[in-house]
């Protein structure tokens, strides 16, 4: 055993990565925007923006607000739509030297299914991630990811339509994350991404109104790290499929905390805005930590902090 | 990237910083900007965007107006200190055509115009710069711009220097009777840019404007800085910050 180079590779429900650090959906565009800022050969992979059936223009402005230790966003899933994604974006993305996953969103179960069927079998896609923080227009805008029954039937229907590895991304804006995680696992999810943004708000004290045109937005960044870590700990204890931790991770130390809590990999989101080198630096720091701890690979670290 | 500050000068609410950043200086075009991660007590969470005001072989210069915590920390930095900087970002002025160019700047909006005037003069083009501000202290970069060989005229709202009134009054005065081939470039507060766009449309003259939006990433990855251009959303940090004035939907910026 070569003790100086710990093994960083992981298998996340059929998605094989050279190391356990990815760029999170919505925070790395279609990847190519970051050429010159991110060395893709040094990270495990990236997850595309959420892709919908039709192109979406997104929400009115303002869409972002700065907070202490984080930010709010209400971008409104602005994206090019699945056809342009496959026709124009994916051919460029698959030239990037890391794994590419597509994140899928929709406003009805049929829309999710159509997007998944369109993506299925495309060259260069390592897997799919379902964004379930989307309002279901059939249920008065209730998010798919808030109710175990709704989540389970959607995931099961999608599972039948694709052989690609299927990750389900959970929303934290729920009372019982464990019930939702189990519903996703039972419906055939290969891995769980925990978590999406926390619903929040900011006021403009001069104009005396909310800063975001959408009134509320999703909170991300270091401010949410303790919440994400707690949810990863809970979910990892309740399911047997891999958990991918995301929420406020900026450094290798942050990533190690998530892995100790039971995450098999992590995603870096907002940190890329401040430091595009965050993901690569997390990989380097993780490797150094494993070496110093005398561990042979990241697998030894996963869940090692659990009680 | 870390860039060392090699010169720092503070005057009133403004500061000029010269940074050693060869990779950025060599690729920069007028109208492009940099994003700076500001550190220190109560530093803001996001990076802050600043126009590139001038470049030399290995250095670039910024003009900073103090408007809040981030700009305040940056404006108080000293030579010998380092800043964390990304750039050059965005799309600059097209420099299209060979005719003369009228540049219109308001407040710190004059920053990219110094760089633009230098590049235009280096191509031997005629350049006239109109600078406006509230009072004399806000007429920035006048002497640096004059040194490029461009002619400079000023307007102040309180009449403390140059013509009393708005810089757009000066523009209306100076537009008629120009030879064909003259184009316009403007940078400054949004109402000024909207007025310049209107004037350019009435005189059927091509105009480019340098816009500002609060930016979460500055690199085209968050979609948080969009404006309506030609009916669709475009990112100020990626497709801009320089846009053709006619294409911008001025009710939606
Ligand atoms: C492409 C671009 C180029 C710029 N070039 C320069 C430059 O050369 N020199 C310079 O001094 N400033 C420039 N700015 C503006 C500068 O980025 C802001 O003044 C700065 O981000 C304010 O940060 P702060 O923390 O000091 O203040 P904050 O507390 O963030 O803001 C103070 C006030 O300024 C407003 N504000 C914040 N950011 C912006 C913005 N981007 N545009 C307009 N208003 C804003 C806020 O709404 C608030 O009212 C540029 C902005 C952009 C987008
Ligand atoms: C600007 C922005 C856009 C985002 N867009 C998406 C999206 O389209 N789909 C999605 O599943 N998550 C999206 N997210 C959530 C992130 O992928 C991530 O789950 C969240 O930001 C928490 O991680 P962080 O604190 O590291 O940013 C977005 C986040 C931000 C900040
Ligand atoms: S600031 Fe993020 S896309 Fe422009």
């Amino acid at each position: 055993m070569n003790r100086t180079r710990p093994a960083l590779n992981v298998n996340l429900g059929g998605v094989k990565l050279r190391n356990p650090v990815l760029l999170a959906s919505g925070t790395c565009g279609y990847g190519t925007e970051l050429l010159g800022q991110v060395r893709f050969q040094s990270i495990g992979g990236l997850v595309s923006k959420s892709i919908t059936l039709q192109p979406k223009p997104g929400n009115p402005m303002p869409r972002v607000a700065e907070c202490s230790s984080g930010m709010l966003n209400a971008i409104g899933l602005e994206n090019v739509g699945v056809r342009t994604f496959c026709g124009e974006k994916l051919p460029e993305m698959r030239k990037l030297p890391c794994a590419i996953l597509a994140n899928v969103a929709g406003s009805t179960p049929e829309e999710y299914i159509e997007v998944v069927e369109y993506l299925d079998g495309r060259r260069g896609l390592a897997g799919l991630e379902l964004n379930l923080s989307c309002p279901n227009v059939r249920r008065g805008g209730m998010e798919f990811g808030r109710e175990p029954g709704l989540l389970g039937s959607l995931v099961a229907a999608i599972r039948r339509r694709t052989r690609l590895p299927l990750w389900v991304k959970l929303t934290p804006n729920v009372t019982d994350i464990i019930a939702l995680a189990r519903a996703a696992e039972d419906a055939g999810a290969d891995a769980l991404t925990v978590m999406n943004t926390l619903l929040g708000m900011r006021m403009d004290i001069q104009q005396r109104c909310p800063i975001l045109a959408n009134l509320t937005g999703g909170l991300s960044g270091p401010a949410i790290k303790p919440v994400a870590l707690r949810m990863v700990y809970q979910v990892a204890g309740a399911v047997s499929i891999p958990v991918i931790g995301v929420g406020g991770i900026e450094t290798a130390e942050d990533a190690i905390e998530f892995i100790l809590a039971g995450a098999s990999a992590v995603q870096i989101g907002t940190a890329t805005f401040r430091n595009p080198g965050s993901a690569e630096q997390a990989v380097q720091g993780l490797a150094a930590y494993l070496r110093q701890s005398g561990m042979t690979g990241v697998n030894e670290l996963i869940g090692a902090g659990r009680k | 990237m870390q860039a060392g500050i090699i010169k720092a000068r503070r005057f009133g609410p403004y500061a000029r910083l010269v940074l050693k950043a060869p990779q950025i200086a060599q690729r920069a075009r007028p109208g492009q900007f940099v994003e700076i991660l500001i550190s220190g007590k109560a530093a803001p969470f996001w990076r802050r965007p600043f126009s590139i005001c001038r470049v030399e072989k290995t250095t670039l210069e910024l003009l900073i107006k103090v408007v809040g915590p981030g700009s305040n920390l940056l404006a108080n930095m000293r030579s010998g200190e380092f800043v964390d900087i990304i750039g050059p970002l965005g799309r600059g002025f097209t420099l299209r055509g060979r005719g003369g160019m009228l540049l219109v700047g308001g407040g710190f909006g004059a920053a990219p115009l110094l760089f633009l005037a230098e590049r235009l003069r280096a191509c031997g083009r005629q350049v006239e710069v109109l600078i406006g501000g509230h009072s004399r202290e806000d007429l920035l970069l006048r002497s640096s711009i004059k040194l490029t060989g461009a002619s400079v005229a000023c307007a102040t709202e309180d009449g403390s220097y140059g013509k009393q009134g708005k810089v757009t009054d000066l523009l209306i005065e100076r537009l008629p009777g120009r030879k064909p081939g003259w184009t316009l470039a403007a940078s400054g507060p949004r109402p000024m840019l909207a007025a310049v766009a209107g004037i350019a449309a009435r005189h059927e003259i091509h105009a480019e404007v340098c816009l500002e939006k609060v930016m979460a990433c500055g690199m085209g990855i968050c979609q948080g800085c969009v404006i309506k251009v030609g009916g669709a959303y475009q990112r100020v940090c990626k497709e801009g910050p320089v846009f053709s004035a006619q294409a911008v939907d001025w009710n939606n910026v």
Side-chain angles (χ1 to χ4, degrees):
Chain A
M1 185 65 57
N2 183 353
R3 298 200 60 179
T4 60
R5 293 198 84 192
L8 291 178
N9 59 305
V10 286
N11 183 338
L12 305 170
V15 178
K16 296 195 180 79
L17 303 178
R18 71 166 72 88
N19 65 54
V21 181
L22 301 103
L23 300 180
S25 176
T27 62
C28 58
Y30 301 104
T32 49
E33 293 89 339
L34 284 170
L35 279 167
Q37 304 289 350
V38 170
R39 298 193 323 142
F40 290 94
Q41 67 271 29
S42 306
I43 64 172
L46 71 87
V47 188
S48 79
K49 295 154 91 61
S50 282
I51 306 297
T52 52
L53 188 56
Q54 304 299 337
K56 273 175 86 90
N59 284 331
M61 290 285 283
R63 296 173 170 185
V64 290
E66 193 175 34
C67 307
S68 41
S69 298
M71 63 175 280
L72 292 173
N73 89 80
I75 304 298
L77 300 185
E78 175 172 352
N79 79 98
V80 296
V82 72
R83 285 176 198 83
T84 308
F85 176 75
C86 290
E88 290 172 21
K89 301 295 179 185
L90 192 55
E92 293 306 309
M93 292 172 84
R94 64 175 168 243
K95 292 180 194 157
L96 300 171
C98 70
I100 308 294
L101 287 97
N103 179 295
V104 176
S107 48
T108 60
E110 294 75 27
E111 188 185 343
Y112 275 99
I113 288 168
E114 236 183 291
V115 175
V116 166
E117 286 180 335
Y118 202 92
L119 290 169
D120 188 46
R122 300 275 164 184
R123 195 156 61 83
L125 270 190
L128 301 179
E129 182 179 80
L130 301 183
N131 176 2
L132 297 185
S133 309
C134 305
N136 181 351
V137 292
R138 299 265 174 73
R139 294 270 192 107
M142 154 98 136
E143 288 171 24
F144 288 95
R146 283 210 185 154
E147 209 257 301
L150 199 59
L151 179 148
S153 60
L154 178 64
V155 173
I158 290 170
R159 177 69 290 174
R160 289 194 291 275
R161 261 91 172 181
T162 180
R163 303 181 69 166
L164 282 169
L166 192 61
W167 298 358
V168 172
K169 185 166 178 179
L170 300 179
T171 167
N173 304 311
V174 296
T175 34
D176 183 5
I177 189 89
I178 290 176
L180 292 152
R182 289 199 173 125
E185 181 181 34
D186 292 344
D190 296 306
L192 299 177
T193 307
V194 180
M195 62 187 212
N196 215 312
T197 52
L198 281 168
L199 207 51
M201 184 184 250
R202 271 206 65 195
M203 285 282 171
D204 181 330
I205 64 168
Q206 257 80 46
Q207 315 260 343
R208 303 199 182 108
C209 65
I211 293 180
L212 298 172
N214 188 55
L215 311 186
T216 61
L219 181 63
S220 64
I224 69 170
K225 195 186 98 178
V227 178
L229 193 58
R230 182 264 296 175
M231 287 201 158
V232 165
Y233 189 92
Q234 284 182 308
V235 170
V239 299
S240 53
I241 51 179
V243 174
I244 298 130
V246 49
I249 301 173
E250 295 201 300
T251 63
E253 289 74 18
D254 296 334
I256 291 163
E257 282 194 63
F258 277 80
I259 297 170
L260 288 171
S264 298
V266 296
Q267 293 178 2
I268 308 265
T270 305
T272 301
F273 299 173
R274 278 154 54 86
N275 173 14
S278 300
E280 181 181 351
Q281 286 154 20
V283 173
Q284 289 164 353
L286 173 63
Y289 179 88
L290 292 171
R291 208 159 44 232
Q292 281 151 20
S293 320
M295 292 190 182
T296 57
V298 68
N299 286 322
E300 269 186 72
L301 197 64
I302 298 170
R306 297 188 61 86
K307 290 270 177 227
Chain B
M1 198 187 95
Q2 295 292 318
I5 299 174
I6 55 179
K7 241 188 250 166
R9 192 162 68 85
R10 192 62 214 258
F11 50 107
Y14 302 100
R16 282 172 82 167
L17 296 182
V18 180
L19 310 173
K20 183 112 186 150
Q23 287 101 320
I24 299 176
Q26 275 148 25
R27 288 184 292 143
R29 292 173 55 93
Q32 288 188 305
F33 65 97
V34 294
E35 280 277 3
I36 296 184
L37 184 63
I38 296 162
S39 49
K41 196 163 177 283
F45 182 67
W46 288 332
R47 284 177 182 264
R48 289 290 189 264
F50 294 93
S51 297
I52 298 168
C53 175
R54 162 149 76 182
V55 304
E56 269 165 36
K57 277 198 188 71
T58 59
T59 64
L60 58 94
E61 187 168 338
L62 305 177
L63 170 72
I64 290 137
K65 178 173 189 191
V66 175
V67 300
S71 49
N72 183 47
L73 283 166
L74 192 60
N76 284 321
M77 290 186 78
R78 308 253 171 88
S79 77
E81 295 186 293
F82 286 83
V83 292
D84 180 325
I85 185 170
I86 296 178
L89 296 164
R91 263 200 323 213
F93 294 98
T94 60
L95 305 178
R96 86 177 204 194
R98 279 201 233 110
M101 231 172 152
L102 259 166
L103 316 186
V104 186
F108 66 74
L113 300 184
L114 170 56
F115 189 11
L116 179 60
E118 273 186 351
R119 284 289 157 95
L120 290 167
R121 292 297 302 145
C123 309
R125 290 172 65 172
Q126 220 178 321
V127 181
E128 264 182 58
V129 186
L130 313 179
I131 304 177
H134 182 71
S135 64
R136 192 190 174 98
E137 299 75 58
D138 306 307
L139 300 175
L140 301 165
L141 307 174
R142 308 200 281 290
S143 45
S144 302
I145 293 176
K146 265 188 199 141
L147 287 174
T148 68
S151 73
V152 177
C154 298
T156 51
E157 276 164 53
D158 66 1
S160 54
Y161 191 88
K163 182 187 165 68
Q164 180 176 10
K166 293 189 170 150
V167 70
T168 43
D169 301 336
L170 211 51
L171 176 65
I172 293 169
E173 220 173 84
R174 290 180 177 236
L175 261 183
R178 287 209 181 251
K179 291 207 192 76
W182 274 78
T183 56
L184 263 173
S187 168
R190 207 151 307 156
M192 185 205 98
L193 297 179
V196 169
I199 295 165
R202 280 198 296 284
H203 287 80
E204 296 181 349
I205 176 169
H206 173 74
E208 291 177 6
V209 292
C210 186
L211 284 174
E212 277 177 32
K213 269 278 155 193
V214 169
M215 291 178 176
C217 76
M219 297 178 279
I221 51 179
C222 76
Q223 311 292 124
C225 66
V226 297
I227 58 164
K228 279 265 165 77
V229 181
Y233 279 132
Q234 293 199 355
R235 295 163 295 187
V236 171
C237 72
K238 196 81 179 182
E239 284 77 38
V242 175
F243 293 94
S244 164
Q246 270 69 41
V248 173
D249 173 357
W250 291 99
N251 299 317
N252 251 309
V253 289

